[in-house]
Amino acid sequence: MAIKITRPQGTEDITPKQIYKWHTVEGIARETAENFGFHEIRIPTFESTDLFLRSVGETTDVVQKEMYTVKAKETEFTLRPEGTAGTIRSMIQNGMLNDALPQKVYYILSCFRHERPQAGRLREFHQFGVEMAGSQSPSSDAEIISLAKTILDRAGLQNIILHINSIGCPACRAKYHSALKAYFEPHKSELCDTCQTRLEKNPMRILDCKSPICAEIAKDAPIILDYLCDECKSHFEKLQEYLRALHITFSIDPKIVRGLDYYTKTVFEFVTTDIGAQGTVCGGGRYDGLIEQMGGKPTPALGFAMGLERLILTMENQKCNFKEPKNCDLYIAPMDESAVITAMQLGQKLRESGYQVEYDVMKRGLKAQMKYANKINASFVIVLGENELQSQKANLKNMQTGEQTEITLDETFEEKFDDIAVQYMFHDVMKDFEKECQ
Ligand code: ATP
Ligand code: MG
């Protein structure tokens, strides 16, 4: 017997039974982004490895431990571990930053990170993200946070806490780095190997370490908010004022530094406690230096990324509503070869009018066909046998009520079906409405 091949660890199949959940969240995210004036961008799945070294940062976990780097012939590429670097590369390469600012884009894409797979942590996962380039104003920070919050609200999520922090600009961060170094130096030998090198190169990364020992040592470390320059401080205060005006509740968490190196000033996370340890559903912030660092003209920018697996997991746990997939409107059961042709022709017409129509392609008997029609939740069924073809009349059966209506199989078929189907849909809507009113 042939050996079954299974999917790689840390990847998931999204089958048709699950896909409607994805369509629901993707639909909400797209529509909300468009409401805010963001437009979709699509970028390659792989980029030159250098792009991520230079943007995400050499001392981050993502670059040091998690990248999928592939070699094809003599060239090396890396599967994107996140969407910002590629999006900014694309904005620069396509001259978008010379156009009217701000540039506002969103994306839905898969990301690849070689992590230890667990609930809410995969090796291939999906993000919905947005990036806005051109604005320094804290009103754009508020705009981005408000966009993320609107998506989470429209998805029906509850108990999501927004944590915000400012990690300052390079000027305030230099002072903060010295303070952190001085704090961690006496504990150097207790830190994990990665953090020992971080201590020299980028001590703030230690605050993001997942090792419990490093986290314990970091508990009393100095906090960045005490080191912010006047400009960064007032930016952060203004943002809080805007959030309050928008009635977006937040808590300030000076421990958030984010896992990627490019952030400046505002950083934020939306966190839930409903899906276990991997509770960060959305993370983002400002990255004013990144575009220049990547060879573009100096342009402030910011964005966020939402983990779609975590978002869906939270929605499932909180019993949020997903938009149900559309079922079959009409199932046609042909009983012989000439009926197959009539079924095809009727189906062709109704599909043109937007109906979901199926007919038997398995050459099954009536009983098996009815079983199938039930399984696909068909709203109506017609059986086409010798009698029906001869008389050009058939019974259209409403599968929910059992009601049968005679219908002619001529050019009036489509119109008649339309009448009955609309009545039926209206009946259904009214029933839902009555239920809601009770
Ligand atoms: P974490 O601290 O959970 O590792 P991160 O800081 O590495 O997250 P980001 O790089 O900011 O995450 O990515 C944005 C979002 O993408 C996260 O908030 C999360 O929802 C999602 N995400 C990140 N890594 C994974 C993963 N391996 N599997 C599933 N979702 C992920
Ligand atoms: Mg991570």
Side-chain angles (χ1 to χ4, degrees):
M1 210 172 69
I3 297 168
K4 244 193 232 159
I5 297 173
T6 54
R7 61 175 178 262
Q9 223 197 336
T11 63
E12 272 178 356
D13 300 309
I14 307 166
T15 63
K17 277 218 170 89
Q18 292 293 322
I19 199 72
Y20 73 100
K21 296 182 180 173
W22 289 78
H23 289 166
T24 305
V25 297
E26 287 166 7
I28 293 169
R30 268 178 204 287
E31 197 178 309
T32 311
E34 303 271 349
N35 286 159
F36 278 73
F38 286 69
H39 300 292
E40 187 174 2
I41 190 165
R42 293 192 188 185
I43 54 166
T45 308
F46 56 90
E47 300 267 0
S48 71
T49 303
D50 266 354
L51 177 73
F52 302 112
L53 297 186
R54 271 167 52 186
S55 55
V56 173
E58 298 194 43
T59 54
T60 59
D61 272 354
V62 169
V63 165
Q64 286 189 338
K65 306 177 189 165
E66 301 169 2
M67 290 209 299
Y68 278 94
T69 297
V70 291
K71 213 167 160 196
K73 300 262 160 53
E74 290 314 304
T75 332
E76 189 190 280
F77 297 102
T78 293
L79 303 186
R80 60 184 173 218
E82 50 94 67
T84 303
T87 302
I88 295 305
R89 194 256 327 121
S90 171
M91 281 182 160
I92 298 170
Q93 193 164 356
N94 292 288
M96 289 166 70
L97 300 171
N98 304 324
D99 222 334
L101 296 178
Q103 283 289 319
K104 304 195 287 185
V105 297
Y106 74 86
Y107 49 79
I108 297 175
L109 44 73
S110 49
C111 300
F112 307 85
R113 297 185 191 178
H114 197 271
E115 306 202 63
R116 197 165 66 78
Q118 49 200 294
R121 191 174 293 287
L122 294 149
R123 291 183 172 169
E124 180 183 14
F125 62 98
H126 297 80
Q127 287 187 342
F128 168 83
V130 311
E131 315 293 345
M132 173 178 347
S135 170
Q136 266 181 5
S137 158
S139 59
S140 58
D141 303 53
E143 186 78 345
I144 287 281
I145 291 175
S146 165
L147 168 49
K149 173 80 166 73
T150 309
I151 294 173
L152 300 174
D153 285 347
R154 289 184 181 178
L157 292 191
Q158 316 242 317
N159 308 325
I160 292 259
I161 299 168
L162 166 63
H163 298 277
I164 61 170
N165 188 24
S166 172
I167 55 172
C169 60
C172 27
R173 218 172 309 157
K175 278 191 237 148
Y176 181 55
H177 276 182
S178 317
L180 276 182
K181 261 191 194 163
Y183 173 83
F184 283 115
E185 202 66 58
H187 302 283
K188 187 171 176 181
S189 57
E190 301 156 57
L191 294 171
C192 74
D193 290 351
T194 322
C195 282
Q196 292 197 10
T197 53
R198 283 170 171 162
L199 185 56
E200 294 313 315
K201 286 192 184 155
N202 193 350
M204 218 166 74
R205 281 268 75 79
I206 301 173
L207 303 179
D208 200 41
C209 183
K210 302 267 190 297
S211 134
I213 297 167
C214 298
E216 181 60 32
I217 297 169
K219 242 170 60 189
D220 297 318
I223 62 170
I224 178 80
L225 293 177
D226 294 333
Y227 292 82
L228 294 186
C229 65
D230 288 348
E231 217 272 300
C232 289
K233 205 183 277 172
S234 80
H235 185 103
F236 193 45
E237 277 161 11
K238 200 76 194 161
L239 167 64
Q240 294 172 49
E241 185 188 323
Y242 290 141
L243 292 178
R244 279 191 285 265
L246 289 166
H247 304 291
I248 297 175
T249 25
F250 59 86
S251 83
I252 296 175
D253 180 354
K255 283 268 151 38
I256 300 181
V257 294
R258 311 283 305 121
L260 315 169
D261 264 357
Y262 47 62
Y263 288 107
T264 52
K265 290 187 176 153
T266 311
V267 287
F268 63 91
E269 289 180 351
F270 284 90
V271 184
T272 168
T273 50
D274 289 346
I275 52 170
Q278 321 306 326
T280 310
V281 172
C282 173
R286 179 170 277 285
Y287 47 87
D288 286 344
L290 181 64
I291 295 179
E292 183 178 14
Q293 195 185 311
M294 286 171 58
K297 73 174 180 198
T299 314
L302 67 168
F304 69 73
M306 239 174 226
L308 295 183
E309 282 82 1
R310 290 186 197 177
L311 178 56
I312 291 173
L313 210 57
T314 317
M315 287 174 74
E316 286 171 342
N317 287 355
Q318 296 190 0
K319 310 244 175 315
C320 298
N321 283 329
F322 292 99
K323 206 168 152 232
E324 292 285 334
K326 197 174 172 321
N327 286 325
C328 178
D329 294 306
L330 175 65
Y331 178 81
I332 309 173
M335 292 293 100
D336 59 27
E337 178 53 30
S338 52
V340 167
I341 291 177
T342 309
M344 283 178 167
Q345 289 168 339
L346 293 177
Q348 191 175 42
K349 267 199 207 138
L350 287 189
R351 285 171 182 165
E352 277 310 304
S353 315
Y355 286 108
Q356 194 181 120
V357 183
E358 289 191 46
Y359 46 79
D360 178 61
V361 288
M362 303 289 293
K363 290 199 162 190
R364 281 193 286 225
L366 183 60
K367 207 169 149 203
Q369 288 204 43
M370 292 312 279
K371 203 167 150 194
Y372 178 77
N374 271 318
K375 187 147 192 188
I376 61 171
N377 248 326
S379 305
F380 293 93
V381 169
I382 47 174
V383 179
L384 299 181
E386 221 174 301
N387 289 345
E388 282 79 8
L389 290 196
Q390 230 162 40
S391 64
Q392 285 292 290
K393 281 190 183 117
N395 278 327
L396 183 69
K397 182 173 177 189
N398 180 327
M399 295 295 278
Q400 216 172 43
T401 61
E403 213 178 308
Q404 306 225 22
T405 318
E406 195 177 76
I407 187 163
T408 357
L409 304 174
D410 55 12
E411 44 310 326
T412 64
F413 179 84
E414 193 185 332
E415 204 180 315
K416 188 85 193 284
F417 180 78
D418 214 36
D419 277 352
I420 298 171
V422 167
Q423 249 179 48
Y424 170 69
M425 278 186 257
F426 184 69
H427 178 79
D428 247 27
V429 170
M430 284 310 287
K431 251 198 347 217
D432 283 350
F433 181 68
E434 275 163 22
K435 236 193 267 163
E436 259 171 52
C437 290
Q438 275 165 15

